[in-house]
Amino acid sequence: MTRINDDYAKLRAGYLFPEIGRRVREFSAAHPDAKVIRLGIGDVTEPLVPSIVAAMHAAVEEMAVRETFRGYGPEQGYDFLVDAIRANDYASRGVALDNDEIFVSDGSKCDVGNVQEIFAKDARILVTDPVYPVYVDSNVMAGRTGAADEVGRFAGVTYLAATAQNGFVPAPPDDSVGPIDVAYLCSPSNPTGAVATKAQLAAWVAWARRTGATIVFDAAYEAYIRDPELPRSIYEIEGAKECAIEVRSFSKRAGFTGVRCAFMVVPKALMGKNAAGEPVSLNALWARRHTTKFNGTSYVIQRAAAAVYTPAGQAETGAQIDFYLDNARILREGLVAAGFTVYGGVHAPYLWLETPGRQSSWDFFDRLLREAHLVGTPGAGFGPSGEGYFRLSAYNSRANVVEAVARIARTFR
Ligand SMILES: *Cc1c(COP(=O)(O)O)cnc(C)c1O
């Protein structure tokens, strides 16, 4: 038999969502009349907006005609989409990028999972805790960590606790943590909904430039930022092009979780170093990786993504995000009225609440399911510092959100 990659054995076997599913199934089987509302899932619920659907239809028609049919496209993405990204997401906020610094892909999960391939096998990783699990697991698979301890922290990974004390945006570490090669940051954060300010990001950029680390900045939820003072891109910080990669997705911004389109920015000013200590362009490495292992996002899907940037697309997707943010506000107000301490949910689709009396997050999960027939996500599932917290998502129908708030009011009165 063929030897397998033993590093996979270090992973905690897809524990969180299967366990939630198991407990909900068990409860529903015992209480078949209970109408369970799921507020736990990080997936959009609204259908694609009309301008995106029209663009997809038109692109399908082009593919049906010899003269306009397209086969393989450019691996980095068609210029019509890259130009729109460059102008609308970056130039409009004072960030100048070249087209070859933007890599269109079929999802941010792949991008944040794959980007570690261009770093050394012994690169040292830093993440926040709680954290989006892909950053850690992709490095575990690549053999960059030791085993997990009983709370799920992997040996060799540096974890920075995101707590109420630091507003869930940890400051960069001091040098006692030892050298770091790659730091993963997510703002607005999944799971806490916290957003880094310009000053906080500037501290990270200054740290990365001083220590030579590369920041992987996951901005999957940037479109939910409504305060113009808050940075949507790390490149709004002076000097970030020399130390940061940025990941963005159309998934949460335009309902593309099932359509699949995203992009990653790797500036040409960003350098790593080789074994001899000589500078090497990370943009060139990622271009090599991307063109070797990826053959481009579907033409139809790139046309759909480009429609996000048309005036109608901006208005329609903006209204959709406003709808989710209104859901978040309704949930937040209902939870606060019921006595909860709630974070997030202002510039993000996630609310991060303290469990009553800092009850264990799985015990609170069981109580919420049993007494209110509501499903959320235990904070401990995102890392040990998530213990005592609970994530609720604004991705739902308005009717379900209103009903959920009524049940919370009844249960915790
Ligand atoms: C949903 C999400 C993404 C986007 O993933 P896609 O693969 O583009 O759908 C990226 N990062 C975080 C933190 C997310 O929650």
Side-chain angles (χ1 to χ4, degrees), residues 39-106:
L39 298 165
I41 295 163
D43 194 359
V44 297
T45 48
E46 292 294 293
L48 296 175
V49 298
S51 54
I52 292 173
V53 175
M56 288 175 84
H57 278 156
V60 169
E61 291 305 326
E62 286 182 63
M63 294 295 272
V65 177
R66 182 174 306 279
E67 287 68 31
T68 49
F69 167 78
R70 314 256 183 153
Y72 290 125
E75 290 104 333
Q76 278 197 230
Y78 284 102
D79 276 339
F80 64 78
L81 176 56
V82 178
D83 286 339
I85 291 168
R86 203 167 39 72
N88 291 280
D89 286 344
Y90 292 104
S92 67
R93 295 186 73 86
V95 177
L97 292 177
D98 293 336
N99 277 28
D100 59 359
E101 296 179 301
I102 297 169
F103 296 82
V104 174
S105 74
D106 60 0

Side-chain angles (χ1 to χ4, degrees), residues 33-320:
D33 295 334
K35 186 179 168 288
V36 173
I37 296 178
R38 291 169 187 268
L39 298 165
I41 295 163
D43 194 359
V44 297
T45 48
E46 292 294 293
L48 296 175
V49 298
S51 54
I52 292 173
V53 175
M56 288 175 84
H57 278 156
V60 169
E61 291 305 326
E62 286 182 63
M63 294 295 272
V65 177
R66 182 174 306 279
E67 287 68 31
T68 49
F69 167 78
R70 314 256 183 153
Y72 290 125
E75 290 104 333
Q76 278 197 230
Y78 284 102
D79 276 339
F80 64 78
L81 176 56
V82 178
D83 286 339
I85 291 168
R86 203 167 39 72
N88 291 280
D89 286 344
Y90 292 104
S92 67
R93 295 186 73 86
V95 177
L97 292 177
D98 293 336
N99 277 28
D100 59 359
E101 296 179 301
I102 297 169
F103 296 82
V104 174
S105 74
D106 60 0
S108 282
K109 188 191 235 186
C110 325
D111 288 338
V112 288
N114 290 330
V115 69
Q116 47 77 25
E117 287 186 28
I118 62 172
F119 299 114
K121 290 196 181 65
D122 58 356
R124 288 140 309 186
I125 304 302
L126 177 147
V127 293
T128 63
D129 164 27
V131 69
Y132 182 59
V134 179
Y135 313 148
V136 177
D137 288 358
S138 55
N139 281 289
V140 173
M141 291 169 166
R144 288 198 185 86
T145 74
D149 65 16
E150 64 286 350
V151 291
R153 283 185 163 183
F154 289 91
V157 175
T158 299
Y159 292 86
L160 291 185
T163 63
Q165 287 70 39
N166 59 31
F168 303 98
V169 182
D174 59 38
D175 294 343
S176 67
V177 300
I180 300 293
D181 292 291
V182 187
Y184 292 85
L185 298 179
C186 183
S187 174
S189 160
N190 178 6
T192 69
V195 190
T197 63
K198 275 208 172 108
Q200 287 169 324
L201 274 193
W204 276 98
V205 167
W207 167 83
R209 289 168 60 95
R210 181 174 63 76
T211 62
T214 299
I215 295 171
V216 175
F217 186 71
D218 185 341
Y221 297 95
E222 54 76 29
Y224 291 74
I225 294 176
R226 283 293 182 264
D227 178 348
E229 290 305 307
L230 290 170
R232 287 184 166 210
S233 165
I234 196 165
Y235 304 122
E236 292 176 42
I237 310 300
E238 191 68 40
K241 278 192 200 166
E242 281 126 60
C243 65
I245 289 170
E246 181 162 291
V247 173
R248 290 212 190 180
S249 173
F250 295 95
S251 282
K252 316 304 175 8
R253 168 192 206 165
F256 274 44
T257 53
V259 174
R260 312 305 303 145
C261 193
F263 61 90
M264 191 158 88
V265 179
V266 189
K268 287 181 283 194
L270 176 59
M271 295 289 157
K273 63 171 192 253
N274 66 15
E278 298 152 345
V280 176
S281 159
L282 293 185
N283 174 280
L285 291 186
W286 184 251
R288 190 71 174 85
R289 192 270 167 207
H290 194 72
T291 54
T292 300
K293 297 195 178 182
F294 189 63
N295 246 345
T297 304
S298 145
Y299 173 71
V300 173
I301 300 311
Q302 290 192 62
R303 280 291 179 200
V308 172
Y309 297 104
T310 61
Q314 296 278 37
E316 290 165 1
T317 55
Q320 199 169 64

Side-chain angles (χ1 to χ4, degrees), residues 37 39 327-338 372 374 392 398-412:
I37 296 178
L39 298 165
N327 279 353
R329 180 183 51 75
I330 292 164
L331 280 170
R332 201 175 62 245
E333 289 171 359
L335 287 157
V336 168
L374 298 177
L392 291 181
R398 180 59 46 82
N400 275 352
V401 165
V402 169
E403 169 64 16
V405 165
R407 292 185 194 174
I408 287 165
R410 278 201 299 276
T411 309
F412 297 97

Side-chain angles (χ1 to χ4, degrees), residues 315-377:
E316 290 165 1
T317 55
Q320 199 169 64
I321 292 168
D322 284 343
F323 168 79
Y324 292 131
L325 288 174
D326 270 341
N327 279 353
R329 180 183 51 75
I330 292 164
L331 280 170
R332 201 175 62 245
E333 289 171 359
L335 287 157
V336 168
F340 283 89
T341 302
V342 186
Y343 303 94
V346 179
H347 302 291
Y350 299 118
L351 295 98
W352 189 244
L353 44 125
E354 269 179 34
T355 60
R358 303 303 297 276
Q359 187 179 22
S360 104
S361 58
W362 278 108
D363 287 350
F364 180 70
F365 173 93
D366 288 333
R367 177 173 180 207
L368 200 62
L369 177 58
R370 197 172 56 239
E371 297 181 19
H373 306 169
L374 298 177
V375 180
T377 313

